[in-house]
Amino acid sequence: MNKKVILLVVIAIAIGAAVLLIDNSAEEETRITPEPVRDDGREERVAEVELEDAMITLYSDDEATKWELGAKAIKQFIEPEQVVLEEVEAKISEDGVKQTRLRAAKGDFDPKTGHLSFTGPITIENEDKLLQADSLNWNQVRNELIGQGNVLLKQSGMEITGEQFVSQIDLRRLRLSGEVEAITQKVGEMNE
């Protein structure tokens, strides 16, 4: 009987110790405070190269489309690789013929992927159209402009609004979508 009592006492001590260890580890987990999450958006990255009142030229893969991007400031970052342009004015040409002009508050170019995007306000013009949007991306593969947000197209006495558009560089083939409204204006009539 002594052996049974001793065995029961040892088992009870082992179970008690196990329960204490499990409870202590749970308490320690709640006492540990995690490190604050870093907000990389607020952390200022340092540009490798900074230029003022500068210009860069980009070409489509087939070199038919040329972007002459002038900017008040151009900053090149290494990690991740990126070129940021501020107060952008661009001339876009196809096969040596000037097609459109663009103005944007900010531009962003990824040299690895060739992705070019702009944030607004953005204005794109050719000889007979004026197009405005909040953001714009250039699809190099299809050589298309894709704009979104508060889209406004003005041409020959007509204003058309929408949520997004897809257009060729020359703005001749242009498709507006999302809540599209057209306002026509007769010659001599003022828009109120």
Side-chain angles (χ1 to χ4, degrees):
M1 225 194 253
N2 283 339
K3 288 184 182 180
K4 286 184 182 178
V5 172
I6 293 174
L7 184 60
L8 286 174
V9 171
V10 169
I11 291 174
I13 292 172
I15 291 173
V19 168
L20 286 175
L21 286 174
I22 291 171
D23 284 344
N24 283 343
S25 65
E27 284 180 26
E28 284 187 33
E29 285 179 27
T30 57
R31 279 190 245 146
I32 298 173
T33 57
E35 287 185 37
V37 177
R38 295 181 77 192
D39 185 3
D40 291 332
R42 283 193 232 158
E43 189 174 304
E44 186 72 25
R45 292 186 340 178
V46 177
E48 189 73 21
V49 176
E50 287 187 52
L51 303 170
E52 289 184 20
D53 297 319
M55 182 177 210
I56 61 173
T57 303
L58 304 176
Y59 293 90
S60 60
D61 289 338
D62 62 1
E63 296 186 10
T65 303
K66 177 182 176 181
W67 288 75
E68 295 178 84
L69 297 161
K72 186 168 185 161
I74 298 177
K75 298 177 183 179
Q76 181 178 7
F77 298 93
I78 301 300
E79 282 300 320
E81 193 170 354
Q82 176 186 32
V83 177
V84 175
L85 303 101
E86 296 173 7
E87 296 183 39
V88 183
E89 290 194 23
K91 295 176 188 170
I92 309 163
S93 58
E94 281 186 302
D95 298 320
V97 178
K98 183 179 167 189
Q99 299 293 330
T100 53
R101 294 172 305 281
L102 175 139
R103 285 187 310 279
K106 184 178 175 186
D108 187 8
F109 176 65
D110 183 339
K112 286 184 180 177
T113 63
H115 183 262
L116 178 61
S117 63
F118 300 94
T119 52
I122 297 161
T123 302
I124 309 162
E125 298 177 81
N126 68 6
E127 30 189 72
D128 62 346
K129 290 183 181 104
L130 175 93
L131 186 60
Q132 296 175 331
D134 292 336
S135 67
L136 180 75
N137 291 306
W138 176 41
N139 180 333
Q140 279 189 331
V141 175
R142 298 179 119 179
N143 203 24
E144 292 178 328
L145 300 173
I146 303 160
Q148 294 186 339
N150 297 310
V151 175
L152 173 64
L153 171 64
K154 292 182 180 183
Q155 68 178 24
S156 61
M158 182 184 301
E159 290 185 5
I160 305 171
T161 61
E163 294 173 10
Q164 60 185 7
F165 74 87
V166 176
S167 172
Q168 298 298 312
I169 297 292
D170 60 10
L171 301 182
R172 294 194 201 300
R173 294 163 293 215
L174 185 123
R175 185 178 71 234
L176 282 149
S177 60
E179 303 287 328
V180 176
E181 281 188 46
I183 303 166
T184 59
Q185 184 178 2
K186 293 181 183 176
V187 177
E189 209 176 73
M190 297 294 287
N191 227 1
E192 293 183 31

